[in-house]
Amino acid sequence: MPYILALDQGTTSSRAIVFDQQGAIVAVAQREFEQIFPQPGWVEHNPEEIWSSQISVAIEALSRAQARPRDVAAIGITNQRETAIVWNRETGKPIHNAIVWQDRRTADYCGQLRAQGQEKLIQNKTGLLIDSYFSGTKIAWILDHVEGAHKLAQAGKLAFGTVDSWLVWNLTSGRVHITDISNASRTMLFNIHTCRWDDELLKLLNVPASMMPAVRSSSEVYSEVTTTLGLGSVPIAGIAGDQQASLFGQCCTAPGLAKNTYGTGCFMLQNTGTKAVASSNRLVTTVAWKIGDKTEYALEGSVFVGGAVVQWLRDGLGLIRTSGEVEQLAASVPDNGGVYMVPAFVGLGAPHWDAYARGSIFGLTRGSTAGHLARAALESIAYQVADLLDAMQRDAALPIKEMRVDGGASANEALMQFQADIMNISVVRPEVTETTALGAAYLAGLGVSFWRDAQALAAMPRGERRFEPKMARSQAALLREQWNKALSRAKAWEADAKA
C-alpha cells in the first residue's frame, strides 16, 4: 500500500491529496463550495455540501493517481477548525447550516460573558480568549435559535462536531462520533490541562455533554471507511485541525520552532513542547497534537483575513480576474503610495481581538491607483503577521529565529520578501507548500506505521527557498508606524457607529 490519502477540508474548498512514502504529491483534486452570508458579519456553509465536495474530490484524487482503495495505507483528515455543525443523530441531517469560524454573530454574547467576569475562568481552562471565533458560543446560538433544538439535545438526539467529526461521521455511516484533541481544544469547552470536556464550561454555555464527540489522539486508527463509499475499508488514522497539521507538516516538532500559514486567514503557531504556555499578549494556548501518550502544545495567533483580502480584490472590486494577478498589479507601483488597508472585514483577531473593527483604507489621494490598492492589500497581510510575531516573541521564552511559511499566498515572492523585511527574520518556504495536507498524511502514516516516527519524517529531504531581510530598519519602522496609525482608526468602528 504505497500511498496516504489526505482530506483537507478548508474554508473555501475541499481538497484531497495523495502522497507517496517520500512525502511527495502524487495527485490533487479540489472543489470550491458556496460561501453563505445571511447578514453582515455572518458566514455559513452547507454541511451537506462540505461532505459531498470532500468525498467527491477524494475519489477523484485516487483516480488521478491511478490508485485503488487497496493502494491506500490510511486516510488523514485536516479541517477548518472552529466551524460548528450540529446534526440529528437519528437522521444524520444537520439542523442548521455550519457556522463558520469567521462568523461574528455571537460577538454580543461573548461581550456578556466578559462582563460576567468569565474570561479568566475560560482562559485558565481552555487557553483561549472569549471570542465568537471559537465553537462554543456558535453551538449555544444554534440551540437557542433552532426550534426544538434544546429539547432534542437534552434527549441526547443531537450531535455536535467540528468539520473533522462531521467527515468521520459520514465516512463511517454514522458509526463513529469522535474528534481529535487539537480540534477539541478550539471549542472553548475543552480543558487543555485535564484533556477532557469541561462540565463547568458546558453548563456555562448550556451545552449538554451528550452532544460532544469522544476525544482521541491525533494519530491512531479510529475506524475504517464504510465500503459503500468507493474508498474500500481504508483506515482513518490521523486527524488534526488545519493549523496544527501545518505545524506538524512543517516538521516543527521541537520547542521553539514556528510556522505561519497564509490561507483565507493567517495562522502563526510556535511549538512549546509539553508545556502549555499561558499568553500575556492576547494569543491563545492550544493543543498542538497528541501522539501516543504525549500531548504537546503551541502558542497561536490568528489573523481572520489574510489571503481572503486578495479574493476581495478579485470578487468584490473586480481589480483582478484571478488571484495570481495580484502580484503583477502590486508590482506596477514602486511602493504603496501612502495607502494602507486594514482588512478587518469580520473584525480583528490576535493580538487585537476587536469584533467591532471593520475593513478600512487610509491615505487615498487622486494619485492612488489599482496598483496601490493591490500593494496595500498584500502588505496588510504582512503587517498582521508581524503583529503576531511581536506578541509571540513577548510571550515565549523561546526566540523565533526563522519563520517557516506555507499556504497559497506564500507563493507570492514579493509578499514573502516584504514579510522578511518587516519582521527582520528569515522566512523559509518549503518546496511542497501543501503542508497542512502533508501534516495530516504524516499523522495518519504514523498511525499505521507507514512511517517509523517523527524523526524519520524530519530526515526526509525538503527543498526550500529562503527570504532574508533587506530593508533598512528605519524604513521598516516607519511603515509599521503608519500601519499602527491605520489600525487604531479601524478599531471599534461598528461600536462607534452604533453609539
Side-chain angles (χ1 to χ4, degrees), residues 18 26 72 306 350 477:
V18 179
V26 177
V72 179

Side-chain angles (χ1 to χ4, degrees), residues 241-366:
D242 51 10
Q243 303 315 315
Q244 290 95 331
S246 169
L247 190 70
F248 200 78
Q250 286 274 25
C251 292
C252 294
T253 52
L257 294 176
K259 70 90 195 179
N260 186 67
T261 295
Y262 299 83
T264 303
C266 290
F267 303 89
M268 184 182 295
L269 276 75
Q270 182 183 30
N271 186 323
T272 62
T274 54
K275 182 180 180 182
V277 175
S279 174
S280 301
N281 291 280
R282 299 183 66 73
L283 300 179
V284 302
T285 306
T286 194
V287 174
W289 48 72
K290 180 181 180 183
I291 299 175
D293 295 328
K294 186 178 180 182
T295 301
E296 296 188 63
Y297 296 87
L299 275 171
E300 176 174 341
S302 305
V303 167
F304 295 153
V305 175
V309 73
V310 177
Q311 291 177 324
W312 179 69
L313 293 180
R314 181 193 68 190
D315 303 334
L317 297 187
L319 294 183
I320 51 177
R321 288 172 299 173
T322 66
S323 296
E325 292 176 7
V326 70
E327 187 167 7
Q328 183 179 355
L329 181 57
S332 68
V333 292
D335 53 44
N336 66 9
V339 178
Y340 289 81
M341 181 183 295
V342 182
F345 303 141
V346 290
L348 289 168
H352 311 289
W353 294 108
D354 185 346
Y356 301 103
R358 285 296 176 265
S360 313
I361 303 172
F362 300 95
L364 292 173
T365 68
R366 283 292 300 273

Side-chain angles (χ1 to χ4, degrees), residues 26 47 99 147 157 161 190 198 205 218 237 242 279 344 407 489 492:
V26 177
I99 301 181
E147 186 176 354
K157 294 184 178 181
F190 184 78
D198 192 278
L205 296 187
S218 308
D242 51 10
S279 174
R489 294 178 181 179

Side-chain angles (χ1 to χ4, degrees), residues 78-419:
T78 185
N79 56 284
Q80 51 166 319
R81 295 176 298 177
E82 298 80 7
T83 297
I85 304 173
V86 175
W87 65 93
N88 188 304
R89 291 180 182 276
E90 295 177 349
T91 66
K93 298 296 183 182
I95 67 169
H96 190 274
N97 275 341
I99 301 181
V100 179
W101 58 270
Q102 297 165 312
D103 189 280
R104 313 307 292 166
R105 77 186 65 187
T106 62
D108 289 343
Y109 181 30
C110 290
Q112 293 169 20
L113 291 172
R114 283 190 290 270
Q116 294 167 12
Q118 304 291 356
E119 187 135 43
K120 187 174 182 181
L121 171 76
I122 287 173
Q123 186 171 16
N124 287 344
K125 286 175 177 280
T126 69
L128 308 177
L129 302 172
I130 295 175
D131 194 85
S132 55
Y133 174 33
F134 304 110
S135 310
T137 58
K138 302 180 195 299
I139 307 169
W141 189 96
I142 291 173
L143 293 178
D144 286 344
H145 289 82
V146 174
E147 186 176 354
H150 273 295
K151 186 175 180 181
L152 287 170
Q154 293 296 341
K157 294 184 178 181
L158 296 186
F160 156 74
T162 42
V163 171
D164 59 305
S165 299
W166 174 242
L167 293 180
V168 172
W169 176 274
N170 283 285
L171 285 166
T172 62
S173 300
R175 288 185 292 110
V176 180
H177 183 211
I178 62 166
T179 189
D180 96 295
I181 193 169
S182 72
N183 279 293
S185 76
R186 310 300 297 186
T187 59
M188 221 168 75
L189 296 168
F190 184 78
N191 189 313
I192 63 172
H193 308 291
T194 64
C195 295
R196 297 178 184 276
W197 298 117
D198 192 278
D199 289 337
E200 187 176 8
L201 298 180
L202 289 166
K203 185 177 179 181
L204 177 66
L205 296 187
N206 197 21
V207 175
S210 62
M211 294 179 65
M212 308 308 286
V215 181
R216 305 280 285 271
S217 77
S218 308
S219 180
E220 61 173 285
V221 176
Y222 312 107
S223 184
E224 292 183 347
V225 179
T226 303
T227 54
T228 56
L229 294 173
L231 289 174
S233 298
V234 180
I236 307 166
I239 301 174
D242 51 10
Q243 303 315 315
Q244 290 95 331
S246 169
L247 190 70
F248 200 78
Q250 286 274 25
C251 292
C252 294
T253 52
L257 294 176
K259 70 90 195 179
N260 186 67
T261 295
Y262 299 83
T264 303
C266 290
F267 303 89
M268 184 182 295
L269 276 75
Q270 182 183 30
N271 186 323
T272 62
T274 54
K275 182 180 180 182
V277 175
S279 174
S280 301
N281 291 280
R282 299 183 66 73
L283 300 179
V284 302
T285 306
T286 194
V287 174
W289 48 72
K290 180 181 180 183
I291 299 175
D293 295 328
K294 186 178 180 182
T295 301
E296 296 188 63
Y297 296 87
L299 275 171
E300 176 174 341
S302 305
V303 167
F304 295 153
V305 175
V309 73
V310 177
Q311 291 177 324
W312 179 69
L313 293 180
R314 181 193 68 190
D315 303 334
L317 297 187
L319 294 183
I320 51 177
R321 288 172 299 173
T322 66
S323 296
E325 292 176 7
V326 70
E327 187 167 7
Q328 183 179 355
L329 181 57
S332 68
V333 292
D335 53 44
N336 66 9
V339 178
Y340 289 81
M341 181 183 295
V342 182
F345 303 141
V346 290
L348 289 168
H352 311 289
W353 294 108
D354 185 346
Y356 301 103
R358 285 296 176 265
S360 313
I361 303 172
F362 300 95
L364 292 173
T365 68
R366 283 292 300 273
S368 300
T369 67
H372 292 115
L373 284 179
R375 193 166 187 124
L378 285 179
E379 290 181 354
S380 75
I381 300 172
Y383 290 130
Q384 292 179 97
V385 171
D387 289 345
L388 293 181
L389 178 72
D390 289 349
M392 199 164 282
Q393 295 276 39
R394 290 192 296 269
D395 264 337
L398 304 165
I400 298 173
K401 298 178 180 178
E402 67 176 30
M403 184 62 63
R404 300 182 183 183
V405 299
D406 54 58
S410 69
N412 189 308
E413 303 275 319
L415 174 58
M416 292 301 97
Q417 183 58 56
F418 188 74
Q419 189 72 83

